[in-house]
Amino acid sequence: QVQLVESGGGSVHAGGSLRLSCDASGMTWTINTMAWYRQAPGKQRELIADITNDGRANYVDSAKGRFTISKDPTKPTAYLDMTGLGPEDTAIYYCHAAAVNEFHHYDYWGQGTQVTVSS
């Protein structure tokens, strides 16, 4: 089992920045990929970015150039640095970890952290 705890959410004005953190614990050695999703009110949860163990990152178009996903080299923590925030970025942000091998596929989720951007 893997436990994920997000932090760093809050309220900012448009144009502001935030850094979200996701601390993983438990069987962290089984994790292949970590990712950030978000869910705005009335909308489906959507992927923002993911990063593999070897550091390869992928972003959705709306995040490219504004958001950066990274991993701490010394501990099982992932980050999402967000800049140029706008009201459309208001959502609950969730950390996700996937543990996949030829025998199983486990998905883990954090509890979410609220990001509110005011205009």
Side-chain angles (χ1 to χ4, degrees):
Q1 292 289 322
V2 172
Q3 296 77 44
L4 303 173
V5 178
E6 302 99 334
S7 61
S11 297
V12 296
H13 291 295
S17 301
L18 282 174
R19 166 175 261 206
L20 306 183
S21 299
C22 174
D23 293 307
S25 61
M27 299 173 66
T28 58
W29 63 89
T30 65
I31 297 172
N32 308 109
T33 304
M34 295 186 75
W36 286 96
Y37 287 72
R38 69 184 180 187
Q39 186 166 19
K43 295 187 177 181
Q44 290 188 329
R45 191 172 298 188
E46 62 174 358
L47 173 68
I48 302 169
D50 60 34
I51 187 167
T52 61
N53 281 345
D54 59 3
R56 287 175 292 133
N58 296 288
Y59 300 88
V60 297
D61 287 345
S62 61
K64 291 178 181 177
R66 298 192 303 131
F67 295 177
T68 303
I69 189 171
S70 61
K71 292 179 64 178
D72 192 303
T74 65
K75 57 184 179 178
T77 298
Y79 303 100
L80 185 68
D81 289 291
M82 305 185 292
T83 62
L85 289 164
E88 67 278 9
D89 297 311
T90 294
I92 300 175
Y93 285 69
Y94 295 92
C95 181
H96 171 268
V100 182
N101 63 27
E102 61 266 39
F103 303 110
H104 65 241
H105 181 155
Y106 295 131
D107 290 295
Y108 302 100
W109 294 92
Q111 81 289 351
T113 185
Q114 177 71 48
V115 172
T116 302
V117 185
S118 58
S119 57

